[in-house]
Amino acid sequence: MEKEIAPIMTEYWEKAKFPFHVIPKLGALHIAGGTIKGYGCPGLSITGNAVATAEVARVDASCSTFILVHSSLAMLTIALCGSEEQKEKYLPSLAQLKTVGCWALTEPEYGSDASALKTTATKVQGGWVLEGQKRWIGNSTFADLLVIFARNTTSNQINGFIVKKDAPGLTATKIENKIGLRMVQNGDILLKRVFVGDEDRLPGVDSFQDTSKILAVSRIMVAWQPIGLSMGVYDMCHRYLKERKQFGAPLAAFQINQQKLVQMLGNIQAMVLVGWRLCKLYENGKMTPGQASLGKSWITLKARETAAIGRELLGGNGILADFLVAKAFCDLEPIYTYEGTYDINSLVTGREVTGFASFKPAALSKRSRL
């Protein structure tokens, strides 16, 4: 990452373009597919996958998100919910990044309320017809295959489908003017009577609940992204304070700067321990949705604080993307929001510890919370 990505990332981040020429080099890391065993995938432990995620994010969050969407969402859905034929057909090339995947759940009108999605799947002879829209879908403008969730018009349940990028009626348009993860190509997807053959319906997705086993793993990975980002910010600040001088002394010699650096270091140690704990709970089959949500929300909160301190420490250079910290500061904002906003993840944990669901205003609930 430091050799291949660091020298070019600011240029591509500023242009909001993805460096497609590095995809084979990212594939050579052999981390795509993460925890999936077989089919040419690395078969890492959840902890190994988490550390790899953090180390990529330590240099560049956009590349980390590109891999996460491809690996911990698209590939994992096929591995956990796909047929044996689908796994053998799609996973080997995805594992080598010879093909790229994306994962489409969110819609223009349904973000946090994703279970209410409106995209439809209608059964026809030999397959399904998909109709609707998706929004904020990472990798979607160039992905070779798209894992798309839609509501079965017969059962009214959520089903999953593998759609090829050249499918008639499918268009993906890049979302412009983002302030964070600018290299990631997020898109608006329009599905106009897109036909998907029966062989590309994911048999393991019969309801919205079936997405939760994928999101449980990906939420751990997302929690490790800000850990890596914070490590990168600390690395840069530590080096900068020792090299830059003011008032005849290195900035590292000033007590207030040392206090800020130590506060950042303390945050990172705590974030690593929470992330590590999540991994161990998952490996032992004991992790709950509330624990995953608490980990993701709390770690991203601490990462924001850490990046803000880092931005202070660099003074004027703290607003230049060239010095990594400003870029990381901006990249943390979408991570704070995606895979469940801070508030939604807090409410998931709150429901688990109290037994009361508080996602909807009391006036809209069909029954009293009490």
Side-chain angles (χ1 to χ4, degrees), residues 122-143:
T122 305
K123 188 73 182 86
V124 295
Q125 187 173 359
W128 302 76
V129 171
L130 305 189
E131 190 93 36
Q133 292 174 272
K134 298 292 179 180
R135 184 161 172 81
W136 290 116
I137 310 308
N139 304 352
S140 61
T141 59
F142 62 91

Side-chain angles (χ1 to χ4, degrees), residues 215-232:
L215 290 170
V217 177
S218 65
R219 202 158 274 165
I220 298 173
M221 295 306 112
V222 171
W224 277 82
Q225 280 190 291
I227 294 174
L229 267 165
S230 299
M231 288 174 171

Side-chain angles (χ1 to χ4, degrees), residues 78-145:
I78 295 170
L80 293 179
C81 303
S83 66
E84 191 59 35
E85 291 75 17
Q86 289 168 342
K87 295 175 198 177
E88 290 174 358
K89 181 178 179 181
Y90 296 118
L91 290 178
S93 65
L94 289 167
Q96 296 176 53
L97 277 173
K98 289 182 176 176
T99 51
V100 173
C102 76
W103 198 82
L105 177 66
T106 301
E107 298 186 357
E109 300 300 322
Y110 299 94
S112 296
D113 192 14
S115 62
L117 65 83
K118 287 288 187 278
T119 296
T120 59
T122 305
K123 188 73 182 86
V124 295
Q125 187 173 359
W128 302 76
V129 171
L130 305 189
E131 190 93 36
Q133 292 174 272
K134 298 292 179 180
R135 184 161 172 81
W136 290 116
I137 310 308
N139 304 352
S140 61
T141 59
F142 62 91
D144 298 289
L145 59 90

Side-chain angles (χ1 to χ4, degrees), residues 12-253:
Y12 280 89
W13 192 87
E14 284 286 358
K15 293 191 296 187
K17 294 185 183 298
F18 191 83
F20 294 104
H21 68 279
V22 305
I23 290 178
K25 294 172 182 176
L26 292 172
L29 292 174
H30 199 48
I31 56 174
T35 55
I36 302 169
K37 291 179 170 60
Y39 313 100
C41 298
L44 299 170
S45 67
I46 195 87
T47 310
N49 199 22
V51 172
T53 299
E55 289 298 324
V56 174
R58 189 170 185 163
V59 176
D60 181 66
S62 291
C63 283
S64 174
T65 298
F66 161 74
I67 294 171
L68 187 141
V69 169
H70 169 85
S71 178
S72 296
L73 288 173
M75 288 183 71
L76 194 65
T77 301
I78 295 170
L80 293 179
C81 303
S83 66
E84 191 59 35
E85 291 75 17
Q86 289 168 342
K87 295 175 198 177
E88 290 174 358
K89 181 178 179 181
Y90 296 118
L91 290 178
S93 65
L94 289 167
Q96 296 176 53
L97 277 173
K98 289 182 176 176
T99 51
V100 173
C102 76
W103 198 82
L105 177 66
T106 301
E107 298 186 357
E109 300 300 322
Y110 299 94
S112 296
D113 192 14
S115 62
L117 65 83
K118 287 288 187 278
T119 296
T120 59
T122 305
K123 188 73 182 86
V124 295
Q125 187 173 359
W128 302 76
V129 171
L130 305 189
E131 190 93 36
Q133 292 174 272
K134 298 292 179 180
R135 184 161 172 81
W136 290 116
I137 310 308
N139 304 352
S140 61
T141 59
F142 62 91
D144 298 289
L145 59 90
L146 305 86
V147 174
I148 291 180
F149 295 90
R151 190 173 300 281
N152 185 320
T153 54
T154 303
S155 68
N156 207 36
Q157 293 296 326
I158 305 303
N159 291 168
F161 302 87
I162 300 169
V163 182
K164 314 296 194 314
K165 71 174 177 182
D166 55 359
L170 170 71
T171 55
T173 310
K174 180 184 172 184
I175 298 173
E176 302 281 2
N177 305 321
K178 298 185 300 172
I179 68 156
L181 296 179
R182 287 174 56 78
M183 282 159 58
V184 177
Q185 305 298 292
N186 293 89
D188 282 312
I189 296 175
L190 185 61
L191 300 147
K192 282 189 172 180
R193 294 195 57 78
V194 175
F195 177 79
V196 182
D198 283 326
E199 70 278 7
D200 281 327
R201 189 206 148 182
L202 291 158
V205 183
D206 287 316
S207 72
F208 186 75
Q209 292 304 314
D210 291 316
T211 66
S212 63
K213 56 190 173 187
I214 297 123
L215 290 170
V217 177
S218 65
R219 202 158 274 165
I220 298 173
M221 295 306 112
V222 171
W224 277 82
Q225 280 190 291
I227 294 174
L229 267 165
S230 299
M231 288 174 171
V233 170
Y234 177 86
D235 290 342
M236 178 56 79
C237 291
H238 181 267
R239 179 178 145 196
Y240 186 87
L241 293 182
K242 293 183 81 169
E243 292 179 359
R244 176 143 170 101
K245 293 182 179 180
Q246 290 290 289
F247 304 103
L251 290 178

